[in-house]
Amino acid sequence: MMMKKKALLAAGALALSTLFSTTVLAATPPASCPTTLRYADTGVEGLEELRRSFGPFVETMKQALGMKVEFYPVGNRTAVVNALRFKQVDVVMTGPSEYVAMDSQVQGAQPLVSLARPSYASIFIVPENSPYQTLADLKGARISMKSVGSTTGHIIPAYMLVEAGLDVDRDVRILNLGGTLFEALISGDVQAAATGVRDWDGFIKRTGGGYRILAQSPQMPDDLVVAGPHIDPTCVAYIRDAMMKNGDALIQATLKPEGRERYQGARLMAVNDASYDVVRKAYAALGLKAE
């Protein structure tokens, strides 16, 4: 009986170690893959910042794919679209808004994997004693948001206002303040602030309370990794399979640099293109071009 119990415990320990293993399972790429895979991220500017933010991730990619992977810096979504069109970059990590823009302009872009992370949604924050109880009540208010184009800090919050029956050009005044959006709320220059739900805990810790969430969106579609249309489908299938098999190791590598806490608890998943329709609807409702 004791030996059986020990065997069961050993099996359980092995299962857990396999589940959370960060050991990289290397493979041999097919001949259809390029010798060197050029990697970019739409949210990072400059080669040094790209290396700092994604150095461990790319090193793990090299091991998992059995290929050389080099950084290709891009300044914005327009630059990455042109880089894909002219075959200057092979694989891009991007956010939901950037993906929708990319997908509308680069015919044949091939999604590889998505980085599913918890608490990826938009929220509106107001003072605890605010008279506003619904988004519709914000008519006439000044609202601070993140930079233009941010999925959870601009596109989706603006869409939520439209869905609540407000005209974002006439009924409210949106101020895209980037990282200073909370200062405007704290000082009283705006009546509400819109941001990602992951910012809530840090904001309350900073202020000590006195605020509440007025509204929250459903879970947003994930960040994802996309291959250019010039990459052979056989190679795309190989990269996708290798990344999925090494999902734990890639997520752990993503978390190593400072400032990557938003991927805590994330996991690699198959891409569901239909989940990005909410962003496409937001672009259409706001009269924005996906560019």
Side-chain angles (χ1 to χ4, degrees):
M1 184 68 177
M2 183 61 70
M3 290 183 65
K4 185 176 181 181
K5 185 176 181 180
K6 287 182 177 179
L8 287 172
L9 287 172
L14 178 61
L16 283 173
S17 65
T18 302
L19 180 63
F20 297 105
S21 174
T22 55
T23 301
V24 178
L25 303 175
T28 303
S32 58
C33 284
T35 304
T36 300
L37 204 67
R38 294 160 297 180
Y39 171 88
D41 185 282
T42 56
V44 179
E45 293 188 27
L47 183 58
E48 288 308 311
E49 182 60 21
L50 194 58
R51 285 173 175 160
R52 187 197 70 78
S53 298
F54 288 96
F57 178 85
V58 166
E59 285 301 316
T60 304
M61 281 272 286
K62 289 179 182 179
Q63 297 175 49
L65 300 178
M67 299 167 59
K68 292 181 180 179
V69 182
E70 67 179 28
F71 292 109
Y72 186 94
V74 292
N76 51 51
R77 68 177 70 180
T78 301
V80 79
V81 164
N82 289 331
L84 285 170
R85 283 175 174 167
F86 292 104
K87 304 179 183 180
Q88 296 170 328
V89 65
D90 304 309
V91 173
V92 178
M93 183 179 285
T94 188
S97 294
E98 292 81 4
Y99 169 63
V100 167
M102 186 191 308
D103 188 51
S104 70
Q105 297 177 71
V106 181
Q107 186 174 5
Q110 306 174 88
L112 292 168
V113 296
S114 66
L115 283 80
R117 48 186 165 127
S119 301
Y120 191 34
S122 298
I123 56 173
F124 281 78
I125 302 172
V126 296
E128 210 162 47
N129 60 358
S130 168
Y132 304 118
Q133 298 301 321
T134 69
L135 289 180
D137 294 337
L138 289 173
K139 187 172 183 178
R142 290 160 59 91
I143 305 168
S144 62
M145 295 188 183
K146 289 188 175 181
S147 302
V148 173
S150 168
T151 302
T152 57
H154 174 231
I155 299 296
I156 295 303
Y159 181 50
M160 291 168 70
L161 293 172
V162 171
E163 289 286 279
L166 298 176
D167 185 318
V168 293
D169 295 319
R170 298 178 182 178
D171 294 334
V172 295
R173 184 176 177 189
I174 294 175
L175 304 175
N176 295 103
L177 302 180
T180 63
L181 82 163
F182 289 133
E183 278 69 18
L185 181 63
I186 293 169
S187 67
D189 289 340
V190 299
Q191 287 73 55
T195 185
V197 68
R198 63 178 177 269
D199 294 334
W200 170 251
D201 288 343
F203 175 67
I204 290 301
K205 183 178 180 180
R206 170 187 169 185
T207 59
Y211 296 87
R212 58 184 168 86
I213 295 176
L214 176 67
Q216 180 170 329
S217 75
Q219 179 78 1
M220 289 294 97
D222 308 312
D223 290 352
L224 69 167
V225 183
V226 182
H230 60 282
I231 302 298
D232 186 271
T234 304
C235 181
V236 168
Y238 167 77
I239 296 172
R240 182 183 293 120
D241 182 63
M243 291 187 74
M244 291 294 287
K245 285 180 178 177
N246 291 282
D248 288 338
L250 287 167
I251 292 297
Q252 290 304 312
T254 301
L255 289 167
K256 282 185 178 180
E258 291 184 9
R260 312 301 295 169
E261 292 82 6
R262 65 181 178 273
Y263 292 111
Q264 193 70 49
R267 54 199 177 108
L268 293 193
M269 301 283 290
V271 176
N272 175 15
D273 183 77
S275 69
Y276 298 88
D277 286 347
V278 63
V279 182
R280 296 183 177 103
K281 290 177 181 177
Y283 271 108
L286 298 171
L288 299 174
K289 290 184 179 180
E291 60 182 18

